[in-house]
Amino acid sequence: MIEVQHVTKRYGPVAAVDDVSFRVEAGQILGFLGPNGAGKTTTMRVLTGYLPPTEGTATIAGFDVLEEPIEVKRRTGYLPESPPLYPDMTVREYLTFIARINRLPAAERPSRIDRVMERTSVGDVADRHCSKLSKGYRQRVGLAQAILHNPDVLILDEPTAGLDPKQIIETRELIKELAGDHTIILSTHILPEVAQTCERVVIINKGRVVAEDSPDNLTGRLHGAVTIQLQVDTLGADPTGTLQAVPGVASVNVGEPGSDGRTVEVQSAQDVDVRRDIANAVVSNGWGLLEMRRARLSLEEIFLQLTTAEDEAGEETSAPDEETEEPAPATESADE
Amino acid sequence: MSNILAIAHRELRSYFVSPIAYVVVGLFALLYGYFYVASLAFMVQFSSQAGMFGGGPQTVNVNEFMIRPLLSNTAIILLFILPFLTARAYAEEKRSGTIELLLTSPLSDMEIILGKFFGAFALFLLMLAVTAVHMGILFWYGEPELGSILTGYLGLALMGGSFIALGLLVSSATRNQVVAGVGTFSLLLLFWVLSWMSDSAGPTAGAILSYLSILEHFDDFSKGVIDTAHVTYYLSFIAFGLFLTAKSVDSERWRG
């Protein structure tokens, strides 16, 4: 449905997007992930025909964005980073205008607008001026605008920015619902969002794609070494030596004793499950094993790894695959 | 066509929900009213002076002594007012980000430009319509010649259209309304005063300068004469202005 091939966008000598390629199948949700300034918005603007690419081609539903921009725009709904509302119009007037410029037949407009307002739950502000809307409503009116003409492709630039937690959940649900009939690209720098809504993730940094896969695979691919977090009551003793002696343990990191025992982080060697032995070691010493869990690398950490690995590599950027297969270095925290 | 209408309708609407339409039409009516009274006073004075030599006040030609100077003054008022009507056209869309909406909707650049042009032009025609009241009074008390008045208004409409086209061009090049307004006004002023140089600039350069001068071409209209050369000038001015606006919008896209 969407095909991006070697797209580069330069502003003078600076490449905001550098040789980006990916494709999205019909009905899929693709998450576009990257830190601020990574080139997400620029890529999306190329796809919507707002910016022409310096090099490369992008096609939507088989139409080239440069050759047949009107055909592309007819099939694309776009929510820019800041919702493009006219402050002097009411929500209903605004959506009517959108319906007109998208050539929705006059007879269908009112019912279509009502339906979309209901879906995006902006019905209660239908007659309020756009300038008077809160950030959450602005964002949802922007979304209503994007889906009004029932486009094949939805391009959403940070659709949940500025929403409160309840609205974020509603918006994600809505996006998932839309995915059946629409092909969706959404950008975000919030990682759980990608894990929850997207089937595929493209991680982009400094204008380059550093990884492309499903969220599960991305987390899986980096699971060479495993970190295990323990909460142990060692009765004042230092568990370092004991744990180090367990076969398969690569390193041990002991925290200060607290009221609820010590926090210990044990890193195992590649592909060895050391949990049983650790538990035995703790118990045979007469210590209390209060908690043990496997710190799963969250997308957040993968993301940090990928984007910082890029930094260290500097100019001699290696192929994305090599980077993602580097063993995971110790992580400071694992919230998930 | 329906796209152009949709844009034009939105433009016109936005003039009326903001104070712009009321301020612009109101101040125009005020200034026009002042010049109307001044021209009327001048005509009355002229007619009584002419009567000093004969028996009592003489009838003078309303078209020549009243309407022609009035229309010339109107042209100047427009030169001051219209730049501020078009200043927001593109600048505001760029500032608020709605330009991204227009440029990613299935609209051609020209449809957007023409929509904006006709939106502003409709408000401008409404300004002119206000002066029908003043003209009506002249018809009530005197016998002006309708044909030449209509010709004068045709001239005003064409000239105003040129002002608007130039205004759109300048507005498309900036995101700041003040810059757009002052820029348009300065350019229009320059186009006006070009003719002042024409006498001292030598025959060829003088002819070119006076041809380019935007108000010079209005003179014949105010006399009640339709000269296709002037009509062509204004129409080309509008077309060229809108064409350059399209280029300006497109180049913005490439620069990002």
Side-chain angles (χ1 to χ4, degrees), chain B residues 191 194-195 197-198 201-214 216-217 233:
Chain B
F191 266 109
L194 272 181
S195 62
M197 283 276 288
S198 59
T204 321
I208 293 172
L209 285 178
S210 113
Y211 179 78
L212 283 179
S213 170
I214 200 164
E216 198 81 346
H217 293 272
Y233 170 85

Side-chain angles (χ1 to χ4, degrees), chain A residues 9 11 45 48 50-52 70 73 78 80 84-86 88-89 93-94 97-98 100-103 145, chain B residues 2-3 5-6 9-10 13-14 17 93 97-108 253-256:
Chain A
K9 176 71 188 174
Y11 296 109
R45 284 180 165 175
T48 54
Y50 181 67
L51 289 177
I70 299 285
K73 289 167 186 177
Y78 177 41
L85 310 183
Y86 285 105
D88 53 27
M89 294 175 120
E93 284 167 347
Y94 173 70
F97 172 67
I98 302 290
R100 279 183 80 177
I101 58 176
N102 280 294
R103 305 247 181 155
Q145 165 273 125
Chain B
S2 76
N3 287 342
L5 278 179
H9 178 246
R10 208 209 68 75
R13 231 194 117 270
S14 80
V17 290
E93 302 253 15
T98 45
I99 191 75
E100 207 166 342
L101 172 76
L102 293 183
L103 294 185
T104 56
S105 295
L107 302 167
S108 71
R253 194 174 275 152
W254 285 95
R255 277 182 284 128

Side-chain angles (χ1 to χ4, degrees), chain B residues 77-156:
Chain B
I77 305 174
L78 292 178
L79 188 124
F80 280 84
I81 286 184
L82 285 184
F84 300 98
L85 202 65
T86 49
R88 65 198 294 280
Y90 268 94
E92 176 65 18
E93 302 253 15
K94 281 198 221 174
R95 202 190 52 75
S96 71
T98 45
I99 191 75
E100 207 166 342
L101 172 76
L102 293 183
L103 294 185
T104 56
S105 295
L107 302 167
S108 71
D109 288 355
M110 228 351 142
E111 284 173 332
I112 300 172
I113 293 167
L114 286 175
K116 288 184 172 294
F117 177 79
F118 285 118
F121 196 68
L123 181 61
F124 162 60
L125 289 184
L126 194 89
M127 274 163 65
L128 289 185
V130 171
T131 65
V133 178
H134 306 74
M135 288 299 164
I137 294 171
L138 287 187
F139 276 98
W140 189 265
Y141 291 103
E143 280 156 3
E145 199 185 316
L146 180 64
S148 60
I149 292 181
L150 290 179
T151 307
Y153 273 80
L154 172 68
L156 282 182

Side-chain angles (χ1 to χ4, degrees), chain A residues 58-74:
Chain A
T59 55
I60 284 183
F63 295 100
D64 189 288
V65 291
L66 267 187
E67 306 293 328
E68 289 165 290
I70 299 285
E71 292 301 320
V72 168
K73 289 167 186 177
R74 200 165 280 165

Side-chain angles (χ1 to χ4, degrees), chain A residues 111-122:
Chain A
S111 62
R112 179 80 197 141
I113 288 170
D114 282 335
R115 235 192 37 242
V116 166
M117 284 200 298
E118 193 194 333
R119 274 196 111 165
T120 51
S121 40
V122 294

